[in-house]
Structures are given as C-alpha cells and as structure tokens.
Amino acid sequence: MKILMSNDDGVHAPGLLALYQALSTIAEVVVVAPSNEQSGCASSLSISTPLYTHELESGFIAVNGSPADCVYLALHEIYRHTDFDCVITGINSGANLGQDVLFSGTFGAALTAQLFGLPAIATSLVGGGVKGAGQEQVSHYQMAANEIVKLLTETPILDACKNLPYHVLNVNIPDVDSADAIKGRKITALSHSEIARPVHHVVDPRGRDAYWLSLRKRQSTLSSELSTENVDAQTSSIEMTDDQAVAAGYISLSPVRLHHTPAATLDTLSALVL
C-alpha cells in the first residue's frame, strides 16, 4: 500500500511525524507538507506565486504553499508516476468538527486529493485551550496515530472509501491519556456550533486597531439534539454528531460528500418563476 501524507500544521509538526511513523509500519509513505503553518487556509491554491520544494533529512518534502498546493504538486509533478492508494492528512493539532471542515487546511488537502479521484482521510486530535495551539503531548499524537493504523487494518474503511467518490472521511480522535480510554468508533454527522467570539479586537503597541479571527466555539453538551440540517434522509439513522461522539470518548468518523446538490432544493428553486 502506498500513502501520500500532508497537513496544515507544517512539515515539522509532531502530529505529522507520529502519523508517518505509525503508517510506515503498514505501508510505503511519502510526505509533502507546507514549510510552515497553514491552518485555516482550507483548499486554497497558490496560482499567482511560484512554489518551491525542499527535501529534508527525513525525506519529507517541504513546500512554500498551502496543504492543497502540496497535494496538487505531489500528485501532478513530484510523484506523478506513483499510484497512491490513498491520501491521509494530519494529525491536525486540535479538532476539526462541524463547520471547521470549511476552513481547515488539513481537510482541504484531503478534499484536493478526492477531487482527483483518490480516497482521502483527514485526521485530527481533539484538544482544548493551549492544546489547540500545538502543545499536545507527543504521546497523545502517538496514541492517535496508532488508532488510525487500527482503523485501516482492523476495518474495511479504506475499501469503503474507494467506493465513495467525492467523499472525504473526517476523523477526530479524543485527546485522552491512553487508548484504553477510547470507547470505540462512531459514524457521525457534522455538527454545527455557534462561534463564541468570531473576531478579537486589540490595539497594537503603535495604537493601531488590529483584528484576530477566531473559530473557537461555544461549549456544546451531549444532551443537544442531532441537527437534521446536516443529515439527509439516507443518514437519518446516525445517532451522534461528531462533537457529541468525541465528548463521549469515541473516535468520530464523519463522511463528508462533495459535489452534492440536494434534490429537494432543486425542486424548490425550480418551482420559482425566474
């Protein structure tokens, strides 16, 4: 099995290294990742500036671009003669739950791979507070990476992904001290949580207004009802959203479909006189 890896925390991120080491026990793995942190850049591509590559002593290839750039460049140039079985991104520092997938570079890299027909899995280690800034313990990344290997070797999930075109599997792993604390895996729907404070206004030392964007959400509870807005009729049997699953100690597996126009919406708009 051949796997292409990338991330949005940068080529030196501990989550990337942990996942590479774990996946290397079951597959041939190559890494093409941003030379620095690219969190929040979604699936953006650099089309107005050139990209440069640099091979590290580890064999990882660093690119001065976005995660999507890395996957795009790897598939169409650097490893254009390699037939990858899948693309796996992460392990992201912090959760990618619900609407996070719209902004996440980790998810955006997986999305780019899927657009070119490769099964794609985006992985994240759920954390909070300082941990969301990349300060998770290395052992926690190693535990999470081992869970990804188990997912690939103990379940038919990869074969299932190969038969689901235009789907990305978004995986969130609870940030626990040991694998024994994980209760299992749940197929989940994307949640939707209100952003607590979207923009932080500060004044810099020179007296200028400055603004810091934030995606931090309000605390959700397990008792909240499953939002049906993100679940169509074919997935109405889903019992948990992704944030509910990880809060309860489960690994969340959310299939996210691309290129989908809801039939009901088409019917509604088609009835309009335009």
Side-chain angles (χ1 to χ4, degrees):
M1 181 163 59
K2 295 182 179 180
I3 298 174
L4 170 65
M5 282 186 57
S6 192
N7 72 344
D8 72 0
D9 292 317
V11 71
H12 300 290
L16 182 76
L17 178 60
L19 186 57
Y20 170 79
Q21 292 173 335
L23 290 176
S24 293
T25 64
I26 62 169
E28 179 182 341
V29 185
V30 298
V31 174
V32 182
S35 54
N36 52 27
E37 184 180 351
Q38 295 286 323
S39 298
C41 63
S43 55
S44 64
L45 292 176
S46 300
I47 58 174
S48 59
T49 57
L51 297 174
Y52 298 93
T53 64
H54 173 65
E55 185 171 352
L56 307 181
E57 291 185 5
S58 61
F60 294 4
I61 295 178
V63 179
N64 65 320
S66 70
D69 286 333
C70 294
V71 171
Y72 199 107
L73 190 61
L75 295 180
H76 295 285
E77 180 59 32
I78 303 173
Y79 294 106
R80 64 184 183 277
H81 299 305
T82 300
D83 294 323
F84 292 105
D85 292 283
C86 66
V87 173
I88 301 180
T89 61
I91 298 171
N92 191 71
S93 172
N96 273 319
L97 300 167
Q99 68 264 40
D100 291 343
V101 300
L102 297 175
F103 308 103
S104 166
T106 294
F107 184 86
L111 182 154
T112 302
Q114 183 53 262
L115 289 176
F116 293 112
L118 281 175
I121 301 174
T123 68
S124 301
L125 177 61
V126 177
V130 175
K131 289 184 178 180
Q135 301 301 314
E136 295 88 345
Q137 295 182 24
V138 172
S139 62
H140 289 200
Y141 282 117
Q142 293 170 341
M143 178 277 300
N146 290 336
E147 291 301 317
I148 297 301
V149 170
K150 291 178 185 177
L151 177 66
L152 296 177
T153 57
E154 298 177 359
T155 78
I157 193 66
L158 187 55
D159 287 336
C161 290
K162 290 179 179 178
N163 294 318
L164 292 172
Y166 300 115
H167 283 70
V168 171
L169 186 67
N170 190 50
V171 180
N172 280 276
I173 301 167
D175 188 16
V176 294
D177 291 330
S178 71
D180 293 338
I182 294 178
K183 296 181 179 179
R185 309 180 185 104
K186 291 285 186 182
I187 301 298
T188 59
L190 293 181
S191 57
H192 181 83
S193 300
E194 182 181 353
I195 296 176
R197 187 180 173 189
V199 178
H200 294 259
H201 170 238
V202 297
V203 178
D204 74 7
R206 295 186 178 183
R208 299 173 299 186
D209 290 327
Y211 304 92
W212 201 303
L213 304 185
S214 171
L215 294 178
R216 185 173 296 281
K217 303 182 183 74
R218 297 189 188 280
Q219 185 66 35
S220 60
T221 63
L222 283 176
S223 60
S224 61
E225 295 183 0
L226 176 64
S227 172
T228 58
E229 294 180 0
N230 296 321
V231 185
D232 62 26
Q234 294 180 335
T235 58
S236 59
S237 62
I238 296 297
E239 63 183 74
M240 282 185 174
T241 57
D242 51 8
D243 59 350
Q244 291 172 331
V246 295
Y250 292 94
I251 296 173
S252 166
L253 310 172
S254 296
V256 183
R257 181 170 54 189
L258 314 174
H259 290 302
H260 173 59
T261 302
T265 303
L266 281 175
D267 293 339
T268 299
L269 295 182
S270 296
L272 299 178
V273 178
L274 302 176

